[in-house]
Amino acid sequence: EARYSRKGYLHSRYLIGSKPIDLVNIHLFHDASNFTAKDTPDFYSAKRRNALRYVLDKLKTDYPDLHKNPMYMFGDFNFRLNTKDVIEYLCGGTTQSQTLTTDGDLKAIDYMRGMDRQTVLRLEIKKFDYYDMGRFTMQAAREFRKFDHEYHKFIGDLHELPVRFPPSYPYSEDLACGNQFLGTRCPSWCDRIFASPTGMKAVKDSPVEPVYNSLSPDGCVGDHKPVFLAFTLRINEEEPQNGTSSSILDDLQQSFQQVHQNIDNAMSETNAMDN
């Protein structure tokens, strides 16, 4: 039975000066069950892979000149770490204890370590509760980059600057805990910005160093952290370029700080009214 989905893509083209630029905003399928992701790692990733290949092929067919213009594809790709490999990496040497529902279905798996059988990880359909979730933000979680495999299927079509920011999902939506993971899924770099070969050349030709990063590391902006790519696009080689990637970043950070201040003010006013 098919259901309506919020997943899809939106392609737009802009003319900046005399240079056309293609932007593709995309949202791919998520992992519905941690158990399925653990037992059959390719189950969900194959659906994302097929969908992304469909979009790329359709863009090439509908817009034969696409390769001539810088193209940037961005959004929630829902790319996940290989859950099976991550669990084996985190829980090596542990013992497992399963909890079943009254109907005999699997409800939870506890991975326990040591003589006192302390739970290292509790896994449920929508729970990934690791005892040290902060590990996924330490040093931008570089130790987990080796489990980020899904993008590799598209090397050649899509290019990406080095990822040096923490996983972008899933974060707490509690305003007081914006820098903490939610504990529902294995933290992953779901939100990405990729460029076509022509688009990446434009990034590397930027007269100032490009910046690829996430925003609002400590503030609450939802369960995803916004990701941005800032660079200076050369429109006319003879014209001076105004602005720098760092100034763009400053503007973005100031905008988010203003949003957080507005939220704090609104909460203060609400609390005052309640009292």
Side-chain angles (χ1 to χ4, degrees), residues 41-274:
D42 198 46
F43 182 81
Y44 298 116
S45 62
K47 296 180 185 296
R48 290 188 285 270
R49 183 166 62 249
N50 292 338
L52 182 52
R53 175 53 61 193
Y54 168 83
V55 172
L56 289 171
D57 289 346
K58 183 167 179 56
L59 288 171
K60 291 176 183 177
T61 300
D62 293 349
Y63 303 92
D65 63 340
L66 188 70
H67 66 283
K68 299 178 181 178
N69 308 327
M71 187 273 282
Y72 302 94
M73 183 175 286
F74 58 95
D76 181 7
F77 288 81
N78 261 312
F79 286 168
R80 306 300 175 97
L81 304 188
N82 185 302
T83 304
K84 177 177 181 293
D85 290 348
V86 170
I87 291 176
E88 291 177 354
Y89 177 70
L90 293 175
C91 303
T94 61
T95 57
Q96 297 182 29
S97 174
Q98 295 187 356
T99 302
L100 305 180
T101 67
T102 54
D103 295 329
D105 298 324
L106 181 61
K107 178 181 179 181
I109 304 175
D110 288 291
Y111 296 82
M112 297 174 291
R113 178 174 293 147
M115 296 296 294
D116 54 356
R117 294 173 63 82
Q118 289 292 319
T119 298
V120 174
L121 171 68
R122 183 176 179 86
L123 192 72
E124 298 180 12
I125 289 178
K126 293 185 178 182
K127 175 177 280 190
F128 187 96
D129 189 9
Y130 183 58
Y131 82 103
D132 183 18
M133 293 297 282
R135 184 172 174 179
F136 285 92
T137 58
M138 293 177 60
Q139 298 182 345
R142 293 191 185 113
E143 64 175 308
F144 297 102
R145 292 289 303 138
K146 58 189 173 185
F147 303 113
D148 183 31
H149 302 152
E150 293 193 43
Y151 155 58
H152 297 166
K153 299 289 185 180
F154 298 93
I155 291 178
D157 291 312
L158 299 175
H159 299 261
E160 184 180 32
L161 289 180
V163 174
R164 297 192 176 97
F165 49 86
S168 65
Y169 172 86
Y171 285 88
S172 171
E173 295 184 275
D174 185 329
L175 292 177
C177 306
N179 61 349
Q180 298 177 18
F181 286 109
L182 194 55
T184 53
R185 310 290 186 188
C186 176
S188 299
W189 287 271
C190 294
D191 305 272
R192 312 283 278 268
I193 301 174
F194 296 104
S196 66
T198 306
M200 183 54 70
K201 182 179 184 304
V203 172
K204 292 184 175 180
D205 286 344
S206 172
V208 294
E209 185 176 0
V211 179
Y212 185 35
N213 207 341
S214 59
L215 284 166
S216 194
D218 297 320
C220 176
V221 289
D223 56 349
H224 290 256
K225 294 293 185 185
V227 171
F228 72 94
L229 172 63
F231 66 99
T232 299
L233 179 68
R234 292 184 180 274
I235 303 300
N236 187 328
E237 296 293 340
E238 297 179 357
E239 294 180 357
Q241 303 297 315
N242 296 320
T244 64
S245 295
S246 59
S247 66
I248 296 173
L249 173 58
D250 291 341
D251 291 342
L252 287 170
Q253 295 285 20
Q254 289 176 9
S255 296
F256 271 92
Q257 289 174 3
Q258 185 61 54
V259 170
H260 294 152
Q261 186 61 53
N262 292 342
I263 292 173
D264 291 340
N265 292 341
M267 291 182 63
S268 298
E269 293 176 3
T270 301
N271 291 335
M273 293 175 63
D274 291 340

